[in-house]
Amino acid sequence: MLLSARQRQELLSYLFNSQKQQDNLADSPCVISETYKVQTTIDEPFTEIQVGDLYFCQEQRLVCISEQVIELTAKEFDILALLITHPKRVFTYEVIMELIWNEESSYYSRKAVNNHVSNLRKKLKVTQDSPDYIKSVVGVGYKFEVP
């Protein structure tokens, strides 16, 4: 779907200013070492999302699967953050490029998004039985879906 400049700006504003989801996930199965713990004076809770064995914390930029820390690049983490905080919402290649790269889609190809998502999927698939969280919407883009 092609959006006008005003619509893109409204979408960007909505996505970045929306309220935090799932404020309370105190019981995380992910064992976090001291190097990943962050002390903060801000009283707001972390944005933590738990989906099966997948644990995601946006403020700590931490992703774990079955208590195993998954190392992601900055772009991979940002793509996952966008998708996981808006489950089932389909993001077009162009919107992902604009939100993650902060550039218009004319500067990057769909191939760049495809490569990053492909690498992200490989890293999230820690075992053969691990579910596929990121689904392709053929010819459109990607969405996060709970299996």
Side-chain angles (χ1 to χ4, degrees):
M1 176 188 336
L2 298 176
L3 302 174
S4 70
R6 183 185 59 76
Q7 291 170 324
R8 281 196 309 269
Q9 192 60 33
E10 287 177 3
L11 177 61
L12 291 170
S13 176
Y14 169 77
L15 293 175
F16 288 122
N17 295 326
S18 67
Q19 288 188 340
K20 307 246 189 265
Q21 294 183 9
Q22 297 182 354
D23 290 339
N24 191 6
L25 285 176
D27 298 327
S28 169
C30 183
V31 178
I32 303 169
S33 70
E34 291 299 317
T35 58
Y36 288 100
K37 291 187 179 179
V38 175
Q39 294 284 332
T40 181
T41 58
I42 300 173
D43 291 336
E44 293 181 25
F46 286 143
T47 304
E48 298 177 326
I49 299 173
Q50 181 79 42
V51 179
D53 288 341
L54 175 65
Y55 170 79
F56 171 87
C57 180
Q58 188 161 1
E59 290 77 11
Q60 294 180 357
R61 296 187 70 86
L62 177 64
V63 177
C64 298
I65 296 181
S66 301
E67 300 181 5
Q68 176 184 351
V69 176
I70 306 299
E71 299 292 334
L72 300 177
T73 67
K75 295 295 185 204
E76 291 167 353
F77 184 89
D78 292 343
I79 291 169
L80 178 61
L82 176 66
L83 297 175
I84 200 170
T85 57
H86 302 90
K88 297 184 182 179
R89 175 171 285 166
V90 177
F91 288 93
T92 65
Y93 299 101
E94 293 78 15
V95 169
I96 292 171
M97 284 185 259
E98 193 167 315
L99 293 173
I100 304 302
W101 277 267
N102 296 320
E103 298 281 344
E104 292 214 18
S105 59
S106 60
Y107 294 113
Y108 294 94
S109 68
R110 289 182 175 196
K111 188 95 171 144
V113 175
N114 287 339
N115 288 340
H116 281 82
V117 171
S118 175
N119 292 336
L120 178 58
R121 283 176 166 162
K122 288 176 190 173
K123 291 178 181 182
L124 295 178
K125 191 120 178 122
V126 293
T127 67
Q128 195 70 351
D129 297 336
S130 296
D132 292 323
Y133 296 105
I134 300 173
K135 304 291 183 185
S136 295
V137 179
V138 179
V140 178
Y142 298 99
K143 66 181 176 176
F144 183 89
E145 198 168 85
V146 179

